[in-house]
Amino acid sequence: MNTESPVKRTALYDEHVRLGARLIPFGGFDMPVQYGGILKEHDAVRHRAGLFDLSHMGQFVLEGENVAAWAETLTINAVASMKPLQARYNIFCNPQGGAHDDTIFYRLDGRWLLVVNASNADKMWTHLNANLGDSGVKLTNLHGRNALIAIQGPKAVAMLQRHVDIDLSAVKYYFCAQGNAYGKPAILARTGYTGEDGFELFLEGEDAAGIWSALLRDHAGEGLEACGLGARDVLRLEAGMPLYGHELTEEITPVQAGQTWALKLSKPAFVGKEALAEQLERDDFSRIVGLTMEGRAPAREGYAVFMGDRAVGEVRSGSLAPAVGNKNIATALVAKEAATVGTSLTVEIRGTRHQATVVAMPFYKRPQ
Amino acid sequence: MAQPADLLYSKEHEWVKIDGDVATVGITDYAQNSLGDIVYVELPKVGKKIDQFGNIGVVESVKAVSDLFTPIGGEVIEVNAGLDADPAAVNREPYGAGWLFKVKVADPSQKSNLLSPSDYEAIAVD
């Protein structure tokens, strides 16, 4: 990461300051970690709706006849089979099978949009350019120029519908549409990172603040709240979604992270394929599991996990989970023999071992 | 927010109320606001002898673990048992229901190492 470059601001920076957000540097940008409070914002998303600034995430435009075939060689999931206006989760791996980044591809009209993690945006830009070869693919980096906001929660789609010129009910989960929001061009994608229904809006940077503040103005009365990265992390953990740097890293493979559903070994050669196939075959790897904790002490990243007296792994993420009975939940990377659902483990917190149980993820599923 | 005038303060954002030889300790409004939603408080056990400014526990918000230091030394004689079920009391009433623990003061002269309300107010700014 380019830790020496100055911290950048998204197109919504002034809005965050106006709303009294607590800002922290994240992924190279000054980003809101919270506005009114993480638990209050979490509650808004689970029961009403929340609005997130995700403009720090990397946005790359991919153009050319060979985008799909080229991307297939660098990723574990299928690309060419994506339908027009479909979105698909995908992971770029290194040759050892570790995750270079986890991303979403959007197949637009005549071009593709690739959204990468903010913290990996520079690394991924370099990686893509280094692997262009003779593919003829043209890359454009929109990182920090275009904006991305998400509106998520049970009331989110109804709120957004009043301001867009397309029928949102016709946009299925993990599909998108091109339309206008408050009269400004937007790609409206039914994707998210909270476990709730909702949309992500790709916007021109100059339009973002107007749309952001209009949504808050028009829907504050129905409970729409600006939400920061703190709430987003709790929401994604409850929903069992990996966060790069925690459940997926250059060392932790998609197979270990439980993302094997996205691994298409039927594809021809791609970076990491052999290593991942061998790992699956051997099936002796440590893996990410969900834990629910007994007691009030939160498990935090890096805490040691034990089965009996034996150290079997470490916590990778942890939080109080208001939507999981207000328990403390965590993910941990543990040895295979400690990974069976129902296994009793302990987590060492400041020298004391606390009971934990391996549970199936996701921890939270929204009511249908 | 003005600091309560009947309390003394530490640079680590704890307050202490001294009543005879018993001191009640908590964290300041500034501290609770900086931490955000508090979800867990780990306090020393009753009977434990603690040194002034020693690291004696943690206060955890949703995002972070923060060390807790005692502004005064002595023997712990009571901890706020209500915080186990309701740690958010520290957010709501940092100077009231959100108090943390009580100490039998070992050395009253330690008061001179603490800050007055006005001196504390000068450092409790963003």
Side-chain angles (χ1 to χ4, degrees), chain A residues 143-181:
Chain A
H143 190 209
R145 305 215 316 255
N146 281 25
L148 173 58
I149 66 179
I151 183 168
Q152 302 272 304
K155 292 184 172 182
V157 178
M159 288 176 182
L160 182 62
Q161 183 64 73
R162 285 161 53 186
H163 314 291
V164 297
D165 58 356
I166 58 163
D167 176 11
L168 296 178
S169 69
V171 183
K172 290 184 289 186
Y173 187 56
Y174 265 75
F175 277 82
C176 60
Q178 294 187 268
N180 292 280

mmCIF file of all heavy atoms in Angstrom, chain A residues 143-181:
data_model
loop_
_atom_site.group_PDB
_atom_site.id
_atom_site.type_symbol
_atom_site.label_atom_id
_atom_site.label_comp_id
_atom_site.label_asym_id
_atom_site.label_seq_id
_atom_site.Cartn_x
_atom_site.Cartn_y
_atom_site.Cartn_z
ATOM 1 N N HIS A 143 -10.765 4.946 -9.714
ATOM 2 C CA HIS A 143 -10.631 4.978 -8.254
ATOM 3 C C HIS A 143 -10.481 6.416 -7.761
ATOM 4 O O HIS A 143 -9.575 7.125 -8.172
ATOM 5 C CB HIS A 143 -9.421 4.151 -7.825
ATOM 6 C CG HIS A 143 -9.346 3.933 -6.344
ATOM 7 N ND1 HIS A 143 -8.164 3.769 -5.686
ATOM 8 C CD2 HIS A 143 -10.309 3.849 -5.404
ATOM 9 C CE1 HIS A 143 -8.401 3.583 -4.388
ATOM 10 N NE2 HIS A 143 -9.689 3.624 -4.201
ATOM 11 N N GLY A 144 -11.388 6.811 -6.885
ATOM 12 C CA GLY A 144 -11.329 8.148 -6.311
ATOM 13 C C GLY A 144 -11.979 9.209 -7.191
ATOM 14 O O GLY A 144 -12.164 10.338 -6.751
ATOM 15 N N ARG A 145 -12.314 8.875 -8.430
ATOM 16 C CA ARG A 145 -12.986 9.845 -9.307
ATOM 17 C C ARG A 145 -14.489 9.645 -9.238
ATOM 18 O O ARG A 145 -15.249 10.577 -9.003
ATOM 19 C CB ARG A 145 -12.520 9.671 -10.759
ATOM 20 C CG ARG A 145 -11.011 9.753 -10.922
ATOM 21 C CD ARG A 145 -10.610 10.405 -12.236
ATOM 22 N NE ARG A 145 -11.340 9.964 -13.397
ATOM 23 C CZ ARG A 145 -10.840 9.136 -14.329
ATOM 24 N NH1 ARG A 145 -9.617 8.656 -14.208
ATOM 25 N NH2 ARG A 145 -11.557 8.823 -15.374
ATOM 26 N N ASN A 146 -14.920 8.412 -9.463
ATOM 27 C CA ASN A 146 -16.346 8.133 -9.387
ATOM 28 C C ASN A 146 -16.735 7.800 -7.954
ATOM 29 O O ASN A 146 -15.893 7.459 -7.138
ATOM 30 C CB ASN A 146 -16.703 6.976 -10.315
ATOM 31 C CG ASN A 146 -16.811 7.440 -11.756
ATOM 32 O OD1 ASN A 146 -16.195 8.442 -12.126
ATOM 33 N ND2 ASN A 146 -17.573 6.733 -12.553
ATOM 34 N N ALA A 147 -18.025 7.909 -7.694
ATOM 35 C CA ALA A 147 -18.523 7.652 -6.346
ATOM 36 C C ALA A 147 -19.326 6.354 -6.326
ATOM 37 O O ALA A 147 -19.801 5.878 -7.367
ATOM 38 C CB ALA A 147 -19.382 8.817 -5.871
ATOM 39 N N LEU A 148 -19.440 5.793 -5.156
ATOM 40 C CA LEU A 148 -20.272 4.603 -4.950
ATOM 41 C C LEU A 148 -20.967 4.771 -3.607
ATOM 42 O O LEU A 148 -20.305 4.961 -2.587
ATOM 43 C CB LEU A 148 -19.390 3.342 -4.949
ATOM 44 C CG LEU A 148 -20.049 2.015 -4.594
ATOM 45 C CD1 LEU A 148 -21.208 1.695 -5.531
ATOM 46 C CD2 LEU A 148 -19.029 0.876 -4.614
ATOM 47 N N ILE A 149 -22.303 4.754 -3.635
ATOM 48 C CA ILE A 149 -23.032 4.767 -2.368
ATOM 49 C C ILE A 149 -23.964 3.564 -2.351
ATOM 50 O O ILE A 149 -24.401 3.072 -3.386
ATOM 51 C CB ILE A 149 -23.808 6.086 -2.133
ATOM 52 C CG1 ILE A 149 -24.944 6.295 -3.123
ATOM 53 C CG2 ILE A 149 -22.856 7.284 -2.166
ATOM 54 C CD1 ILE A 149 -25.720 7.591 -2.856
ATOM 55 N N ALA A 150 -24.218 3.071 -1.143
ATOM 56 C CA ALA A 150 -25.100 1.920 -0.984
ATOM 57 C C ALA A 150 -26.263 2.323 -0.098
ATOM 58 O O ALA A 150 -26.079 3.048 0.889
ATOM 59 C CB ALA A 150 -24.350 0.754 -0.355
ATOM 60 N N ILE A 151 -27.442 1.855 -0.460
ATOM 61 C CA ILE A 151 -28.614 2.007 0.405
ATOM 62 C C ILE A 151 -29.107 0.596 0.688
ATOM 63 O O ILE A 151 -29.396 -0.170 -0.230
ATOM 64 C CB ILE A 151 -29.679 2.939 -0.214
ATOM 65 C CG1 ILE A 151 -30.868 3.128 0.747
ATOM 66 C CG2 ILE A 151 -30.127 2.490 -1.595
ATOM 67 C CD1 ILE A 151 -31.821 4.248 0.341
ATOM 68 N N GLN A 152 -29.114 0.230 1.965
ATOM 69 C CA GLN A 152 -29.315 -1.154 2.361
ATOM 70 C C GLN A 152 -30.295 -1.231 3.528
ATOM 71 O O GLN A 152 -30.221 -0.408 4.456
ATOM 72 C CB GLN A 152 -27.972 -1.754 2.811
ATOM 73 C CG GLN A 152 -26.879 -1.702 1.741
ATOM 74 C CD GLN A 152 -26.889 -2.912 0.829
ATOM 75 O OE1 GLN A 152 -26.812 -4.042 1.285
ATOM 76 N NE2 GLN A 152 -26.994 -2.673 -0.468
ATOM 77 N N GLY A 153 -31.134 -2.236 3.502
ATOM 78 C CA GLY A 153 -32.078 -2.431 4.601
ATOM 79 C C GLY A 153 -33.441 -2.790 4.058
ATOM 80 O O GLY A 153 -33.702 -2.654 2.856
ATOM 81 N N PRO A 154 -34.347 -3.259 4.925
ATOM 82 C CA PRO A 154 -35.658 -3.716 4.450
ATOM 83 C C PRO A 154 -36.480 -2.633 3.749
ATOM 84 O O PRO A 154 -37.328 -2.949 2.920
ATOM 85 C CB PRO A 154 -36.353 -4.222 5.728
ATOM 86 C CG PRO A 154 -35.522 -3.743 6.867
ATOM 87 C CD PRO A 154 -34.144 -3.524 6.362
ATOM 88 N N LYS A 155 -36.241 -1.356 4.058
ATOM 89 C CA LYS A 155 -36.996 -0.283 3.404
ATOM 90 C C LYS A 155 -36.221 0.364 2.255
ATOM 91 O O LYS A 155 -36.703 1.316 1.625
ATOM 92 C CB LYS A 155 -37.340 0.808 4.419
ATOM 93 C CG LYS A 155 -38.335 0.380 5.499
ATOM 94 C CD LYS A 155 -38.658 1.591 6.368
ATOM 95 C CE LYS A 155 -39.781 1.289 7.343
ATOM 96 N NZ LYS A 155 -40.108 2.494 8.147
ATOM 97 N N ALA A 156 -35.001 -0.129 1.981
ATOM 98 C CA ALA A 156 -34.105 0.585 1.068
ATOM 99 C C ALA A 156 -34.656 0.650 -0.356
ATOM 100 O O ALA A 156 -34.623 1.707 -0.992
ATOM 101 C CB ALA A 156 -32.729 -0.083 1.072
ATOM 102 N N VAL A 157 -35.174 -0.461 -0.860
ATOM 103 C CA VAL A 157 -35.597 -0.487 -2.260
ATOM 104 C C VAL A 157 -36.801 0.434 -2.464
ATOM 105 O O VAL A 157 -36.864 1.189 -3.444
ATOM 106 C CB VAL A 157 -35.896 -1.936 -2.706
ATOM 107 C CG1 VAL A 157 -36.382 -1.956 -4.147
ATOM 108 C CG2 VAL A 157 -34.643 -2.805 -2.554
ATOM 109 N N ALA A 158 -37.733 0.406 -1.517
ATOM 110 C CA ALA A 158 -38.907 1.279 -1.637
ATOM 111 C C ALA A 158 -38.502 2.747 -1.590
ATOM 112 O O ALA A 158 -39.060 3.585 -2.311
ATOM 113 C CB ALA A 158 -39.906 0.958 -0.526
ATOM 114 N N MET A 159 -37.550 3.069 -0.749
ATOM 115 C CA MET A 159 -37.087 4.465 -0.678
ATOM 116 C C MET A 159 -36.457 4.889 -2.006
ATOM 117 O O MET A 159 -36.793 5.930 -2.567
ATOM 118 C CB MET A 159 -36.038 4.615 0.435
ATOM 119 C CG MET A 159 -36.598 4.530 1.852
ATOM 120 S SD MET A 159 -35.232 4.602 3.053
ATOM 121 C CE MET A 159 -36.136 4.431 4.590
ATOM 122 N N LEU A 160 -35.555 4.050 -2.504
ATOM 123 C CA LEU A 160 -34.822 4.408 -3.724
ATOM 124 C C LEU A 160 -35.749 4.485 -4.931
ATOM 125 O O LEU A 160 -35.566 5.323 -5.823
ATOM 126 C CB LEU A 160 -33.709 3.381 -3.958
ATOM 127 C CG LEU A 160 -32.802 3.625 -5.162
ATOM 128 C CD1 LEU A 160 -32.050 4.950 -5.026
ATOM 129 C CD2 LEU A 160 -31.801 2.468 -5.314
ATOM 130 N N GLN A 161 -36.766 3.617 -4.947
ATOM 131 C CA GLN A 161 -37.665 3.561 -6.101
ATOM 132 C C GLN A 161 -38.288 4.915 -6.419
ATOM 133 O O GLN A 161 -38.556 5.226 -7.585
ATOM 134 C CB GLN A 161 -38.763 2.518 -5.848
ATOM 135 C CG GLN A 161 -39.726 2.324 -7.015
ATOM 136 C CD GLN A 161 -39.016 1.768 -8.258
ATOM 137 O OE1 GLN A 161 -38.650 0.608 -8.296
ATOM 138 N NE2 GLN A 161 -38.796 2.631 -9.247
ATOM 139 N N ARG A 162 -38.510 5.716 -5.404
ATOM 140 C CA ARG A 162 -39.183 7.007 -5.612
ATOM 141 C C ARG A 162 -38.307 8.015 -6.352
ATOM 142 O O ARG A 162 -38.793 9.060 -6.751
ATOM 143 C CB ARG A 162 -39.627 7.570 -4.258
ATOM 144 C CG ARG A 162 -40.852 6.815 -3.725
ATOM 145 C CD ARG A 162 -41.077 6.993 -2.243
ATOM 146 N NE ARG A 162 -41.126 8.394 -1.839
ATOM 147 C CZ ARG A 162 -41.203 8.777 -0.559
ATOM 148 N NH1 ARG A 162 -41.219 7.866 0.402
ATOM 149 N NH2 ARG A 162 -41.234 10.059 -0.262
ATOM 150 N N HIS A 163 -37.048 7.695 -6.542
ATOM 151 C CA HIS A 163 -36.130 8.682 -7.137
ATOM 152 C C HIS A 163 -35.419 8.180 -8.383
ATOM 153 O O HIS A 163 -34.496 8.826 -8.864
ATOM 154 C CB HIS A 163 -35.091 9.118 -6.094
ATOM 155 C CG HIS A 163 -35.717 9.432 -4.784
ATOM 156 N ND1 HIS A 163 -36.530 10.535 -4.590
ATOM 157 C CD2 HIS A 163 -35.721 8.755 -3.610
ATOM 158 C CE1 HIS A 163 -36.979 10.532 -3.346
ATOM 159 N NE2 HIS A 163 -36.507 9.464 -2.736
ATOM 160 N N VAL A 164 -35.820 7.012 -8.889
ATOM 161 C CA VAL A 164 -35.155 6.474 -10.071
ATOM 162 C C VAL A 164 -36.173 6.219 -11.175
ATOM 163 O O VAL A 164 -37.369 6.061 -10.907
ATOM 164 C CB VAL A 164 -34.368 5.166 -9.750
ATOM 165 C CG1 VAL A 164 -33.272 5.459 -8.748
ATOM 166 C CG2 VAL A 164 -35.284 4.075 -9.248
ATOM 167 N N ASP A 165 -35.670 6.154 -12.402
ATOM 168 C CA ASP A 165 -36.561 6.054 -13.564
ATOM 169 C C ASP A 165 -36.620 4.635 -14.117
ATOM 170 O O ASP A 165 -36.974 4.432 -15.270
ATOM 171 C CB ASP A 165 -36.110 7.039 -14.654
ATOM 172 C CG ASP A 165 -34.664 6.794 -15.096
ATOM 173 O OD1 ASP A 165 -34.002 5.902 -14.502
ATOM 174 O OD2 ASP A 165 -34.210 7.497 -16.019
ATOM 175 N N ILE A 166 -36.241 3.668 -13.313
ATOM 176 C CA ILE A 166 -36.394 2.275 -13.728
ATOM 177 C C ILE A 166 -37.158 1.523 -12.645
ATOM 178 O O ILE A 166 -37.246 1.996 -11.502
ATOM 179 C CB ILE A 166 -35.025 1.583 -13.952
ATOM 180 C CG1 ILE A 166 -34.188 1.630 -12.673
ATOM 181 C CG2 ILE A 166 -34.274 2.216 -15.124
ATOM 182 C CD1 ILE A 166 -33.042 0.662 -12.672
ATOM 183 N N ASP A 167 -37.711 0.369 -13.033
ATOM 184 C CA ASP A 167 -38.460 -0.456 -12.084
ATOM 185 C C ASP A 167 -37.465 -1.335 -11.328
ATOM 186 O O ASP A 167 -36.936 -2.303 -11.868
ATOM 187 C CB ASP A 167 -39.483 -1.306 -12.853
ATOM 188 C CG ASP A 167 -40.223 -2.268 -11.942
ATOM 189 O OD1 ASP A 167 -40.103 -2.131 -10.694
ATOM 190 O OD2 ASP A 167 -40.916 -3.154 -12.475
ATOM 191 N N LEU A 168 -37.217 -1.001 -10.082
ATOM 192 C CA LEU A 168 -36.195 -1.731 -9.317
ATOM 193 C C LEU A 168 -36.611 -3.173 -9.033
ATOM 194 O O LEU A 168 -35.761 -4.033 -8.832
ATOM 195 C CB LEU A 168 -35.891 -0.996 -8.008
ATOM 196 C CG LEU A 168 -35.268 0.399 -8.154
ATOM 197 C CD1 LEU A 168 -35.071 1.030 -6.777
ATOM 198 C CD2 LEU A 168 -33.931 0.333 -8.891
ATOM 199 N N SER A 169 -37.927 -3.435 -9.007
ATOM 200 C CA SER A 169 -38.362 -4.811 -8.727
ATOM 201 C C SER A 169 -37.954 -5.747 -9.864
ATOM 202 O O SER A 169 -37.907 -6.961 -9.691
ATOM 203 C CB SER A 169 -39.873 -4.866 -8.502
ATOM 204 O OG SER A 169 -40.546 -4.597 -9.721
ATOM 205 N N ALA A 170 -37.642 -5.167 -11.040
ATOM 206 C CA ALA A 170 -37.215 -5.988 -12.182
ATOM 207 C C ALA A 170 -35.718 -6.300 -12.138
ATOM 208 O O ALA A 170 -35.222 -7.072 -12.957
ATOM 209 C CB ALA A 170 -37.547 -5.264 -13.487
ATOM 210 N N VAL A 171 -35.017 -5.674 -11.191
ATOM 211 C CA VAL A 171 -33.568 -5.921 -11.077
ATOM 212 C C VAL A 171 -33.364 -6.999 -10.022
ATOM 213 O O VAL A 171 -33.599 -6.779 -8.833
ATOM 214 C CB VAL A 171 -32.811 -4.628 -10.687
ATOM 215 C CG1 VAL A 171 -31.315 -4.892 -10.652
ATOM 216 C CG2 VAL A 171 -33.136 -3.497 -11.656
ATOM 217 N N LYS A 172 -32.943 -8.172 -10.462
ATOM 218 C CA LYS A 172 -32.788 -9.292 -9.550
ATOM 219 C C LYS A 172 -31.503 -9.157 -8.737
ATOM 220 O O LYS A 172 -30.611 -8.376 -9.076
ATOM 221 C CB LYS A 172 -32.763 -10.619 -10.328
ATOM 222 C CG LYS A 172 -34.122 -10.967 -10.922
ATOM 223 C CD LYS A 172 -34.108 -12.329 -11.604
ATOM 224 C CE LYS A 172 -33.304 -12.294 -12.897
ATOM 225 N NZ LYS A 172 -33.376 -13.546 -13.663
ATOM 226 N N TYR A 173 -31.410 -9.945 -7.653
ATOM 227 C CA TYR A 173 -30.216 -9.975 -6.821
ATOM 228 C C TYR A 173 -29.000 -10.309 -7.678
ATOM 229 O O TYR A 173 -29.014 -11.241 -8.475
ATOM 230 C CB TYR A 173 -30.406 -11.024 -5.724
ATOM 231 C CG TYR A 173 -29.307 -11.054 -4.677
ATOM 232 C CD1 TYR A 173 -28.979 -9.906 -3.958
ATOM 233 C CD2 TYR A 173 -28.622 -12.228 -4.395
ATOM 234 C CE1 TYR A 173 -27.982 -9.931 -2.996
ATOM 235 C CE2 TYR A 173 -27.623 -12.260 -3.432
ATOM 236 C CZ TYR A 173 -27.304 -11.108 -2.738
ATOM 237 O OH TYR A 173 -26.313 -11.144 -1.782
ATOM 238 N N TYR A 174 -27.944 -9.522 -7.509
ATOM 239 C CA TYR A 174 -26.709 -9.644 -8.297
ATOM 240 C C TYR A 174 -26.928 -9.400 -9.794
ATOM 241 O O TYR A 174 -26.285 -10.004 -10.643
ATOM 242 C CB TYR A 174 -25.958 -10.956 -8.008
ATOM 243 C CG TYR A 174 -24.899 -10.712 -6.944
ATOM 244 C CD1 TYR A 174 -25.262 -10.569 -5.610
ATOM 245 C CD2 TYR A 174 -23.549 -10.562 -7.283
ATOM 246 C CE1 TYR A 174 -24.319 -10.272 -4.641
ATOM 247 C CE2 TYR A 174 -22.594 -10.277 -6.306
ATOM 248 C CZ TYR A 174 -22.986 -10.139 -4.991
ATOM 249 O OH TYR A 174 -22.041 -9.832 -4.033
ATOM 250 N N PHE A 175 -27.830 -8.442 -10.050
ATOM 251 C CA PHE A 175 -27.945 -7.853 -11.378
ATOM 252 C C PHE A 175 -27.925 -6.342 -11.214
ATOM 253 O O PHE A 175 -28.021 -5.835 -10.078
ATOM 254 C CB PHE A 175 -29.231 -8.301 -12.094
ATOM 255 C CG PHE A 175 -29.083 -9.635 -12.776
ATOM 256 C CD1 PHE A 175 -29.214 -10.821 -12.045
ATOM 257 C CD2 PHE A 175 -28.783 -9.718 -14.133
ATOM 258 C CE1 PHE A 175 -29.054 -12.051 -12.660
ATOM 259 C CE2 PHE A 175 -28.627 -10.948 -14.743
ATOM 260 C CZ PHE A 175 -28.753 -12.121 -14.015
ATOM 261 N N CYS A 176 -27.794 -5.624 -12.307
ATOM 262 C CA CYS A 176 -27.792 -4.173 -12.231
ATOM 263 C C CYS A 176 -28.532 -3.586 -13.420
ATOM 264 O O CYS A 176 -28.937 -4.317 -14.335
ATOM 265 C CB CYS A 176 -26.368 -3.620 -12.156
ATOM 266 S SG CYS A 176 -25.315 -4.017 -13.564
ATOM 267 N N ALA A 177 -28.738 -2.278 -13.391
ATOM 268 C CA ALA A 177 -29.418 -1.576 -14.479
ATOM 269 C C ALA A 177 -28.806 -0.196 -14.599
ATOM 270 O O ALA A 177 -28.301 0.351 -13.619
ATOM 271 C CB ALA A 177 -30.912 -1.475 -14.179
ATOM 272 N N GLN A 178 -28.865 0.350 -15.808
ATOM 273 C CA GLN A 178 -28.424 1.718 -15.989
ATOM 274 C C GLN A 178 -29.649 2.604 -16.005
ATOM 275 O O GLN A 178 -30.630 2.316 -16.699
ATOM 276 C CB GLN A 178 -27.590 1.840 -17.258
ATOM 277 C CG GLN A 178 -26.294 1.034 -17.092
ATOM 278 C CD GLN A 178 -25.284 1.203 -18.210
ATOM 279 O OE1 GLN A 178 -25.276 0.440 -19.162
ATOM 280 N NE2 GLN A 178 -24.423 2.205 -18.069
ATOM 281 N N GLY A 179 -29.623 3.638 -15.193
ATOM 282 C CA GLY A 179 -30.777 4.524 -15.107
ATOM 283 C C GLY A 179 -30.361 5.871 -14.575
ATOM 284 O O GLY A 179 -29.197 6.263 -14.701
ATOM 285 N N ASN A 180 -31.330 6.567 -13.995
ATOM 286 C CA ASN A 180 -31.045 7.874 -13.413
ATOM 287 C C ASN A 180 -31.600 7.916 -12.001
ATOM 288 O O ASN A 180 -32.708 7.428 -11.745
ATOM 289 C CB ASN A 180 -31.696 8.986 -14.239
ATOM 290 C CG ASN A 180 -31.037 9.125 -15.605
ATOM 291 O OD1 ASN A 180 -29.979 9.719 -15.749
ATOM 292 N ND2 ASN A 180 -31.668 8.521 -16.608
ATOM 293 N N ALA A 181 -30.840 8.509 -11.110
ATOM 294 C CA ALA A 181 -31.277 8.740 -9.735
ATOM 295 C C ALA A 181 -31.289 10.240 -9.522
ATOM 296 O O ALA A 181 -30.264 10.897 -9.741
ATOM 297 C CB ALA A 181 -30.319 8.065 -8.759
#
